[in-house]
Amino acid sequence: MDIKNLRFDTINLGHGSGGLMTRDLLDKIIFETFNNPILDQKHDGAIVKFDGQIAISTDSFVVSPIFFKGGNIGDLAVNGTVNDVAMCGAIPRYISLAFIIEEGLKLSEFISIVNTIKAAADQSGVQIITGDTKVVEKGKGDKIFINTTGFGEVHPKSNISTSRIKVGDKIVLSGSIATHGMAIMSERQGLEFESDIVSDTTNLNDIVNGLLDTFGDHIHFLRDPTRGGLSSVLTEIVEDTGIGISIFEDQMPIDKQVAAACEILGLDPLYVANEGIFIAIVDKDIVDSVINFMHNDVKGAKAVCIGEMTDAHSTKVVLNSRIGGKRIVSPLIGEQLPRIC
């Protein structure tokens, strides 16, 4: 779109009024960018058709800063929602998109975010089909917040549930941990340091769909370790199943720069947010095949088995350290890294 054709260069309260300024914002930016037959009906909702079970996931994004190395709040919102639907064992199809914009946001920044949302949606194979825009007074927000809801068809071979996890199952991690969280922290005011760390935000639906196509219900559980990091996902699993988990530090993939940044800030990488990796808990007999399959996709190139489900210490996650020691990985208490997604 040509910004010169617009009659404003910042968002103001009139753009949330529901009147002519709102229509100008929607017609010239939103509808023009995301045009598709469903959205183009311009209803307050959307009517879509699904042939079987559907998975639904809703999320809100309040990341600060809104632009960071590797992405911005826009592609983070799309990728995060697509991935949440995929972790249900579903194929993402549609997303609703709602903006809460602070008065004074530069139009150029808003357009950049919208364009990134469009690109991320296209890459994920999803359509934006409905949404909402609200504007709040200066000082009542932080530039922009985004709410999304994703809808997808459950994969016909999918049977994803904590109830299917059993002793002996292997835990496969698709890539390096803590990258997104440290990309955000490297740009935070007051915590800046020299770093080339780039957020790992990406969509994971294609690789997950491929796993389900190939291995079906031998994939027992899927989850992306976003807020609270890998530790939060694993501790939730042991609480829900009553089974223990053993993980191995020397198998844990982490970029050297990310590890160094965590050390500088005194953070445990196990608790730091991720936006482009997932864990798969799989039948022990197929773990090598799963890893080999994932290595054929750039988003699973670093996939590795990091541990297993065990009855040796029920309801506990135990980390086996590189030097031969053991420690219990406890749940995150409080907020370690606020406004990370």
Side-chain angles (χ1 to χ4, degrees):
M1 75 194 66
D2 187 353
I3 195 170
K4 294 179 180 178
N5 292 331
L6 299 170
R7 294 174 292 179
F8 49 93
D9 56 14
T10 60
I11 303 294
N12 62 58
L13 289 176
H15 291 113
S17 67
L20 290 176
M21 293 183 69
T22 301
R23 177 54 60 185
D24 205 29
L25 184 76
L26 295 178
D27 284 344
K28 294 182 179 179
I29 299 179
I30 303 301
F31 292 131
E32 183 176 320
T33 301
F34 300 120
N35 64 325
N36 63 68
I38 300 172
L39 186 65
D40 289 347
Q41 294 181 48
K42 300 183 180 180
H43 292 314
D44 282 339
I47 299 173
V48 295
K49 182 179 180 180
F50 290 95
D51 293 328
Q53 287 184 303
I54 65 171
I56 302 171
S57 179
T58 192
D59 209 345
S60 297
F61 296 85
V62 297
V63 65
S64 177
I66 60 174
F67 293 92
F68 48 83
K69 291 177 182 176
N72 63 50
I73 192 173
D75 55 355
L76 185 67
V78 172
N79 292 335
T81 304
V82 162
N83 293 345
D84 284 346
V85 172
M87 294 305 120
C88 296
I91 304 164
R93 298 295 190 199
Y94 306 111
I95 288 181
S96 73
L97 176 67
F99 297 108
I100 299 175
I101 308 170
E102 183 185 25
E103 179 186 18
L105 178 71
K106 292 180 181 178
L107 182 64
S108 59
E109 292 183 327
F110 182 63
I111 290 175
S112 178
I113 290 167
V114 168
N115 287 336
T116 306
I117 289 172
K118 171 63 173 173
D122 288 346
Q123 290 165 9
S124 302
V126 297
Q127 288 183 306
I128 309 297
I129 59 169
T130 189
D132 184 50
T133 302
K134 295 291 191 298
V135 179
V136 297
E137 298 96 325
K138 185 76 173 177
K140 297 294 180 66
D142 191 355
K143 293 189 175 180
I144 186 170
F145 300 147
I146 299 177
N147 175 267
T148 51
T149 300
F151 305 83
E153 297 174 273
V154 175
H155 192 287
K157 294 184 178 180
S158 170
N159 190 3
I160 304 301
S161 171
T162 53
S163 65
R164 303 197 61 243
I165 298 173
K166 63 182 187 297
V167 172
D169 280 356
K170 300 296 185 178
I171 304 168
V172 177
L173 180 65
S174 69
S176 299
I177 62 170
T179 305
H180 173 73
M182 297 321 299
I184 298 297
M185 294 305 289
S186 71
E187 299 190 33
R188 285 271 172 91
Q189 185 176 3
L191 290 173
E192 295 175 356
F193 53 89
E194 286 292 327
S195 170
D196 294 322
I197 300 171
V198 176
S199 170
D200 62 347
T201 179
T202 190
N203 64 76
L204 299 168
N205 50 319
D206 286 341
I207 187 172
V208 168
N209 190 43
L211 283 172
L212 293 171
D213 280 342
T214 306
F215 302 103
D217 66 1
H218 291 290
I219 308 294
H220 297 162
F221 186 76
L222 298 163
R223 183 66 59 84
D224 55 335
T226 51
R227 283 183 303 164
L230 184 61
S231 66
S232 292
V233 170
L234 298 180
T235 54
E236 287 172 6
I237 290 169
V238 297
E239 289 174 5
D240 291 343
T241 63
I243 307 173
I245 288 177
S246 289
I247 55 174
F248 300 90
E249 188 177 25
D250 61 355
Q251 296 296 316
M252 201 71 63
I254 182 170
D255 181 83
K256 288 182 180 179
Q257 278 197 88
V258 172
C262 287
E263 187 172 353
I264 290 170
L265 296 177
L267 299 173
D268 185 335
L270 290 176
Y271 294 86
V272 178
N274 312 274
E275 287 291 348
I277 63 172
F278 67 100
I279 65 163
I281 299 182
V282 307
D283 190 289
K284 63 182 180 181
D285 295 331
I286 65 161
V287 63
D288 290 338
S289 297
V290 166
I291 291 171
N292 289 335
F293 176 91
M294 292 171 70
H295 284 170
N296 291 321
D297 189 306
V298 66
K299 295 172 185 177
K302 296 182 180 179
V304 64
C305 178
I306 61 167
E308 63 185 3
M309 306 302 301
T310 178
D311 57 4
H313 39 77
S314 299
T315 71
K316 291 182 175 61
V317 179
V318 175
L319 173 72
N320 297 269
S321 73
R322 290 187 179 89
I323 60 174
K326 298 179 185 288
R327 72 174 173 93
I328 293 176
V329 177
S330 59
L332 177 64
I333 300 174
E335 183 66 79
Q336 186 184 38
L337 300 175
R339 305 287 301 282
I340 212 77
C341 61

